[in-house]
Amino acid sequence: MRIPIVLKVNGKEHSIEVKPNEILLNVLRDKLHLIGVKYGCGIGECGACTVILNGRAILSCQTLAVSAAGREITTIEGLVPEGNKELHPLQEAFIEEGAVQCGFCTPGMILSAKALVDKNPDPSNSAIKEAIRGNLCRCTGYINIIKAIKTGAEKIRERSKR
Amino acid sequence: MSNSQVIDCDFDYYSPKTVEEALEYLKSEGVKVLAGGTDLLNDIKTGEIVPKALVSILGINELDFVEFEHGFRIGPATLLCKIEEDDRIKKKYPALCEAVNSMGGMQIRNMATLGGNLCTASPGADAAPPLIVLNAKVEVSRKNGRGEIERRTLPIEEFFTGPKKTVLEQGELLTSILIPEPDASSGSAFIKIGRVKLDIAKINCAVYVKGEGDICKNVRISLGAVAPKPVRAFNVEKALAGKKLTASLLAEAAEMVSQDISPRNARSTAVYKTQAASVLIQDTLTTAWNRSGAGREVKE
Amino acid sequence: MSNKKYHFLGKDFPRKDGIARVTGREVYPSDIYLTGMLHGRILRSPYPHARIKSIDFSEALSLGAVCLSFKNTPQKHFNLRQVSVPRATYKDWQVLTDHMRQVGDPFGAVAAETEELAARAAGAVKVEWEMLPSYMTIEQALAARKDLIHEKVYLEDREITIKSNIACTREVAEGDVDKGFKEADVIVENEFSTPRVYHCQLEPRSCVCRPEPDGGITLWPTTQALHNTRILIGDIFDIPLNKLNVVRITGGGHFGSGIHTNPVVLITVALALKSGKPVRIVQSREEDMYDHCRYPSRYTLKIGAKKDGTLVAGEMKASVDIGSHHIQALSYLGVLAGWWHSLYRMPNLKYEGVAVYTNKVPTCAMQGYGAPQVTFGVETTMNMLAERLGIDPIEIRIKNYVGLGEIFWGQGPTVRSLIHSDGVKELLHRGAELIGWKDRPDPKTQTGRFRKGIGMARGFHTSGTGAPVPGEVKDFTTAQVKVNEDGSIDILTALMDHGGGTLDAAAKLVAEEFGVPFEKVGISPADTRSTGYDVCTHATRGVYCGGGAVLEVAREAKKVLLEYASRILDAPVGSLKTKPDFKLGQGIIYVEGMPEKHITLAKAAQTAMNKDWGTAIAAGSIRKVNCPPAYTTYFVEVEVDMQTGRVEIKRVAAGSDAGVVINPTLARGQLHGGFYRGAGYALVEDTQYDEKTGNLRCKGLLTNYKMLGPEDLPDPEDFQVFFADTYEPTGPMGAKGIGEAALNPVPAAIALAIQNATGIYFTRLPILPETILKAVKEGRDHV
């Protein structure tokens, strides 16, 4: 069985054909060359494959590509509209607060953070911890990540005032 | 060794729009229901399940609802995150919300469904104990020989038949979860112990309790991951029912849980689970009791 | 820190690789896609100990896969870890063999156009097995007389016959232990053990290999050591090194799992050579968990002290379950003795270590390399001694610790150097104040269900493995520094940065030395063809040895530049100084006392070029002749639920003596991360086996390999990090290491906090709620 689908990723439509057993993570990487989506565990434990689907953070390793057809997908590559040279406030904050070490978890972590601050513009420590508990970071011990999400949220609030 | 990178078996895929259509697909052997996929795709990757076809039910509107009109009903395809975000559920059925919130990271709760958690029927399924103590019923549908949809309703306790086993037969689909209105001056709570905060349960517990003054009028206690399927702690309930609730009575009654459970050494030890079950019952019941009426607390 | 004013050191700048990493554009080995690339999949043993009678590839071949088995690969023996000198290197590995020594041992591989097809082809390979008895514990392995895990191995090139599965042994002795114990007023003896923890670096070990038209290959591996990878592969596959290029590429975490060349790298090379096409293998998480884990430990530790707390004698006997292969267990046995020796002065000391093969995952270095293992037992013993003698735990440590002016063993008994900087007392006193040490609870009088406890432990790690006299470990870094024609500077070195900011630190040192803005210093892409040898970024040597080498080379390049400037400014070299001019966004060279007489770096470099004088460039290989200890202390507050045995970490005060701190935010991040991994090590992490099948109980799935998450850790406000005010005179601008020291005392500090809450000393990690509750119910004070 081969199924033609349209994947809407970062505002662009891609008409491709997939088999039902193809996993969204692999399709994003292998066919659309979006390497910011990472394989970390393959079973939904590490969050490295996080993407935003219709406004909610989900795991692309546990999603069939065919199931994602027609829905809006945002990957880390699409966090800032193409051609926009500025970073997203969360991205800036991750660099400033030392929330990036090896960087492998970073794309998924930032997307989870974005899904959080979109709903909760001034999150507490515990709200942040809850939002990122599905994203494994083996380097940082999470402290600087929590700080970065707070700082990023603050930057977003500041910018919206302007 | 399994391979979590790819799925290397082929299967067909259907995404029906109606229950009727879904039931038709499900008649054939080897056809599996795909809801959130957070358990099923893992089982396919590890080779535990080799499906002929998957029927995605996430596009079926009849299965995705939360309604309070005729009692409280939840569609099995309701995402966990929607249950968590629903203030009405949070207020009336805190045990269910707490259980849902403890399940996985944000992404999992954005993908997984309530029905999926029940149908996977893991002995530690977090949604089971709260639904059991809340006296929930489930509606199961199938197509009969004449092509008509037949529905049966059964108490959720009877839905589970063993580890990863339910009453569902090939061709059947869970179509609704019904939860009765809780009594006035009742409260419910859910607590889980994992190896770390984010984990499948080492042991979990839900309690529903109705108080009359300081009398424990009606109490239901359910535990997960301590037996092949979620269980009621009948002996503990019996020791508490109709009595004045005190800390010492509660401690004494909770000890009787050892007669209600048959834990294995999964993610912990049987000895620990038995000891922790007693503590967990006391903690959960205390929280539920505090919620059952203003100013209620468990006295020494 | 010294009084010297730095422009860049000690200040935060956006890390140079930051933008790539937050935008998803950083490329890791698993992200490389090459034209015509095949995807490889490794064939692995389902049995813990077996021999292969026959393999049938016919079905896999009919699917169009390229198939490889032990029959197609070189049979040479080697050790994957190349940081030791040959005379101290045991060799028991082969690329592929028919002798399977653990579940997951590779015997072949397939490659195909897609990952899915490779997986199908791998599933279609049929094997006929001959079962051998498996040895899943040290006791089982030592009792074996035949069907050993290895029969013959090599030490350098000498054949060694293995007996009773003993991989190697090591003994260290100083003074007279019997006499020492006779002088002791108190003797404490216990057995300690620590688990096989999985690194769980977020990117599974991976490799891409491209065969080149000239018969050479290009490699993008997950590694901490570019040159060692090249040398090993050149040797095994007989490829001249000038045709073998290993490219530096960011790895998604290492923690020690890339000090040795990963087996996946060798297999990728073999597949690429066989197919003639580029091949990529990304291990699945399951495969990765069967690939490596931290060295465990089990040891008896006996320490004697006088009434006043002075230690007089110590004896340690360690046995190590190393798993199926040697990744330098000889060195590990040496460092177990070394870390112990360097924690506290012990005039009489005796150590015996034995490494035993078992049919389990091979063990390798992981952050701390034996130090957290030993520190756990030693620090626990120090508290027991203090309790018996009625001395404050901080006092007994101050009395005995190895510090300023004493000899430090940086990598086992053969790497020794003098200590020149020591912030231990400052760390202990400041940490004690921050946590409220004086008011810590008394375990004997605590009651109630939830009990608080405060624990403290200290430790260190070496900064590199340099010493005046070379030992068993190689240690030097090669670098090149050049001044570009616009006044910017390029650093070229094979040094690796695992995410901690090593290369940013090197760039800051160079910016400071030249007096140019930080953003003017660039880190060049590096590979083994364009760089000289660097041993490896391991042993907390990145900043001290690697950064130190870059700085020394920068000074040479600066000499050349100043010589050019002296001609231009018509002033003697000795009168010239440099400093950054932030308005110009440039470095300037000026005559001291005559600030109007100056020139920008750009102008100097351009003039030198236009006049055909040359480029201001230098290169060199630098070895450090010291290995200063980077000290750390941890004070931790926990709360223990006496009814469920659960432990909650409430507060942390982490102190580090890293000399002059170069990247402050990143340095604090090292302590956060070290604490997190150390706390998981103390409380939950472990790889357990089903002894019947030889499988990991978790089957390589993260669902059942638990690590702490953000909700298991304290809030940022409750995690304080502070640095000792020290200056390391042998270090680059006063700096020493930090990385591994950030973890080493953590398990001990947590165990002692639990002791402070419960009154029970725990001697086995991880300390699970099950263990705590059992000990509480049994009324134990020691388990």
Side-chain angles (χ1 to χ4, degrees), chain C residues 700-717:
Chain C
L701 301 171
L702 283 191
T703 325
N704 286 315
Y705 183 81
K706 282 297 159 203
M707 292 161 278
L708 301 182
E711 293 165 301
D712 301 297
L713 293 162
D715 284 340
E717 295 76 11

mmCIF file of all heavy atoms in Angstrom, chain C residues 700-717:
data_model
loop_
_atom_site.group_PDB
_atom_site.id
_atom_site.type_symbol
_atom_site.label_atom_id
_atom_site.label_comp_id
_atom_site.label_asym_id
_atom_site.label_seq_id
_atom_site.Cartn_x
_atom_site.Cartn_y
_atom_site.Cartn_z
ATOM 1 N N GLY C 700 17.281 -2.746 26.359
ATOM 2 C CA GLY C 700 17.767 -1.612 25.573
ATOM 3 C C GLY C 700 16.725 -0.521 25.361
ATOM 4 O O GLY C 700 16.965 0.419 24.621
ATOM 5 N N LEU C 701 15.593 -0.653 26.018
ATOM 6 C CA LEU C 701 14.528 0.350 25.849
ATOM 7 C C LEU C 701 14.572 1.334 27.019
ATOM 8 O O LEU C 701 14.650 0.931 28.184
ATOM 9 C CB LEU C 701 13.162 -0.340 25.787
ATOM 10 C CG LEU C 701 13.013 -1.358 24.644
ATOM 11 C CD1 LEU C 701 11.719 -2.146 24.798
ATOM 12 C CD2 LEU C 701 13.042 -0.664 23.288
ATOM 13 N N LEU C 702 14.471 2.608 26.695
ATOM 14 C CA LEU C 702 14.570 3.620 27.753
ATOM 15 C C LEU C 702 13.392 3.578 28.723
ATOM 16 O O LEU C 702 13.475 4.128 29.816
ATOM 17 C CB LEU C 702 14.690 5.024 27.154
ATOM 18 C CG LEU C 702 16.068 5.412 26.589
ATOM 19 C CD1 LEU C 702 16.109 6.887 26.276
ATOM 20 C CD2 LEU C 702 17.198 5.048 27.543
ATOM 21 N N THR C 703 12.303 2.928 28.329
ATOM 22 C CA THR C 703 11.159 2.805 29.241
ATOM 23 C C THR C 703 11.589 2.234 30.582
ATOM 24 O O THR C 703 11.051 2.597 31.619
ATOM 25 C CB THR C 703 10.117 1.825 28.638
ATOM 26 O OG1 THR C 703 10.121 1.981 27.234
ATOM 27 C CG2 THR C 703 8.763 2.052 29.217
ATOM 28 N N ASN C 704 12.539 1.325 30.531
ATOM 29 C CA ASN C 704 12.953 0.677 31.770
ATOM 30 C C ASN C 704 14.414 0.927 32.125
ATOM 31 O O ASN C 704 15.003 0.193 32.900
ATOM 32 C CB ASN C 704 12.652 -0.821 31.709
ATOM 33 C CG ASN C 704 11.163 -1.081 31.855
ATOM 34 O OD1 ASN C 704 10.508 -0.500 32.722
ATOM 35 N ND2 ASN C 704 10.617 -1.908 30.991
ATOM 36 N N TYR C 705 15.008 1.953 31.526
ATOM 37 C CA TYR C 705 16.269 2.465 32.073
ATOM 38 C C TYR C 705 15.962 3.865 32.569
ATOM 39 O O TYR C 705 15.845 4.813 31.783
ATOM 40 C CB TYR C 705 17.404 2.504 31.041
ATOM 41 C CG TYR C 705 18.686 2.969 31.706
ATOM 42 C CD1 TYR C 705 19.455 2.066 32.427
ATOM 43 C CD2 TYR C 705 19.078 4.306 31.693
ATOM 44 C CE1 TYR C 705 20.591 2.485 33.104
ATOM 45 C CE2 TYR C 705 20.202 4.729 32.369
ATOM 46 C CZ TYR C 705 20.952 3.815 33.069
ATOM 47 O OH TYR C 705 22.065 4.234 33.761
ATOM 48 N N LYS C 706 15.794 3.988 33.862
ATOM 49 C CA LYS C 706 15.287 5.253 34.379
ATOM 50 C C LYS C 706 16.420 6.206 34.749
ATOM 51 O O LYS C 706 17.429 5.803 35.329
ATOM 52 C CB LYS C 706 14.420 4.987 35.617
ATOM 53 C CG LYS C 706 13.049 4.499 35.240
ATOM 54 C CD LYS C 706 12.349 5.571 34.469
ATOM 55 C CE LYS C 706 11.227 5.176 33.620
ATOM 56 N NZ LYS C 706 10.850 5.995 32.530
ATOM 57 N N MET C 707 16.210 7.462 34.395
ATOM 58 C CA MET C 707 17.114 8.540 34.794
ATOM 59 C C MET C 707 16.269 9.612 35.476
ATOM 60 O O MET C 707 15.063 9.666 35.260
ATOM 61 C CB MET C 707 17.800 9.121 33.555
ATOM 62 C CG MET C 707 18.772 8.141 32.925
ATOM 63 S SD MET C 707 19.169 8.560 31.207
ATOM 64 C CE MET C 707 17.757 7.875 30.360
ATOM 65 N N LEU C 708 16.905 10.448 36.283
ATOM 66 C CA LEU C 708 16.146 11.511 36.929
ATOM 67 C C LEU C 708 15.650 12.487 35.871
ATOM 68 O O LEU C 708 16.312 12.726 34.867
ATOM 69 C CB LEU C 708 17.011 12.256 37.939
ATOM 70 C CG LEU C 708 17.604 11.420 39.073
ATOM 71 C CD1 LEU C 708 18.403 12.321 40.007
ATOM 72 C CD2 LEU C 708 16.527 10.685 39.858
ATOM 73 N N GLY C 709 14.494 13.052 36.115
ATOM 74 C CA GLY C 709 13.965 14.078 35.226
ATOM 75 C C GLY C 709 13.947 15.411 35.940
ATOM 76 O O GLY C 709 14.320 15.496 37.118
ATOM 77 N N PRO C 710 13.518 16.466 35.234
ATOM 78 C CA PRO C 710 13.530 17.795 35.869
ATOM 79 C C PRO C 710 12.724 17.844 37.161
ATOM 80 O O PRO C 710 13.077 18.580 38.081
ATOM 81 C CB PRO C 710 12.915 18.707 34.796
ATOM 82 C CG PRO C 710 12.313 17.806 33.775
ATOM 83 C CD PRO C 710 13.037 16.509 33.856
ATOM 84 N N GLU C 711 11.659 17.052 37.246
ATOM 85 C CA GLU C 711 10.829 17.089 38.456
ATOM 86 C C GLU C 711 11.474 16.359 39.627
ATOM 87 O O GLU C 711 10.999 16.458 40.755
ATOM 88 C CB GLU C 711 9.456 16.476 38.161
ATOM 89 C CG GLU C 711 8.650 17.310 37.190
ATOM 90 C CD GLU C 711 7.473 16.552 36.620
ATOM 91 O OE1 GLU C 711 7.711 15.501 35.987
ATOM 92 O OE2 GLU C 711 6.349 16.991 36.793
ATOM 93 N N ASP C 712 12.526 15.604 39.375
ATOM 94 C CA ASP C 712 13.239 14.922 40.462
ATOM 95 C C ASP C 712 14.386 15.771 40.992
ATOM 96 O O ASP C 712 15.123 15.333 41.880
ATOM 97 C CB ASP C 712 13.808 13.591 39.951
ATOM 98 C CG ASP C 712 12.718 12.674 39.425
ATOM 99 O OD1 ASP C 712 11.860 12.280 40.220
ATOM 100 O OD2 ASP C 712 12.716 12.375 38.213
ATOM 101 N N LEU C 713 14.570 16.937 40.415
ATOM 102 C CA LEU C 713 15.726 17.776 40.773
ATOM 103 C C LEU C 713 15.248 19.079 41.411
ATOM 104 O O LEU C 713 14.121 19.508 41.188
ATOM 105 C CB LEU C 713 16.533 18.079 39.507
ATOM 106 C CG LEU C 713 17.207 16.839 38.897
ATOM 107 C CD1 LEU C 713 17.611 17.092 37.460
ATOM 108 C CD2 LEU C 713 18.425 16.421 39.717
ATOM 109 N N PRO C 714 16.116 19.707 42.196
ATOM 110 C CA PRO C 714 15.695 20.950 42.851
ATOM 111 C C PRO C 714 15.476 22.082 41.845
ATOM 112 O O PRO C 714 15.955 22.031 40.719
ATOM 113 C CB PRO C 714 16.853 21.279 43.797
ATOM 114 C CG PRO C 714 17.973 20.393 43.423
ATOM 115 C CD PRO C 714 17.460 19.285 42.578
ATOM 116 N N ASP C 715 14.770 23.103 42.292
ATOM 117 C CA ASP C 715 14.562 24.297 41.470
ATOM 118 C C ASP C 715 15.888 25.040 41.311
ATOM 119 O O ASP C 715 16.770 24.932 42.163
ATOM 120 C CB ASP C 715 13.561 25.239 42.155
ATOM 121 C CG ASP C 715 12.134 24.738 42.026
ATOM 122 O OD1 ASP C 715 11.875 23.917 41.118
ATOM 123 O OD2 ASP C 715 11.291 25.157 42.835
ATOM 124 N N PRO C 716 16.003 25.839 40.237
ATOM 125 C CA PRO C 716 17.244 26.609 40.051
ATOM 126 C C PRO C 716 17.609 27.441 41.285
ATOM 127 O O PRO C 716 18.783 27.549 41.639
ATOM 128 C CB PRO C 716 16.912 27.519 38.858
ATOM 129 C CG PRO C 716 15.880 26.775 38.085
ATOM 130 C CD PRO C 716 15.075 26.009 39.101
ATOM 131 N N GLU C 717 16.604 27.979 41.964
ATOM 132 C CA GLU C 717 16.876 28.823 43.135
ATOM 133 C C GLU C 717 17.476 28.017 44.288
ATOM 134 O O GLU C 717 18.086 28.593 45.185
ATOM 135 C CB GLU C 717 15.583 29.498 43.615
ATOM 136 C CG GLU C 717 14.977 30.487 42.628
ATOM 137 C CD GLU C 717 14.240 29.826 41.450
ATOM 138 O OE1 GLU C 717 14.004 28.605 41.493
ATOM 139 O OE2 GLU C 717 13.931 30.545 40.473
#
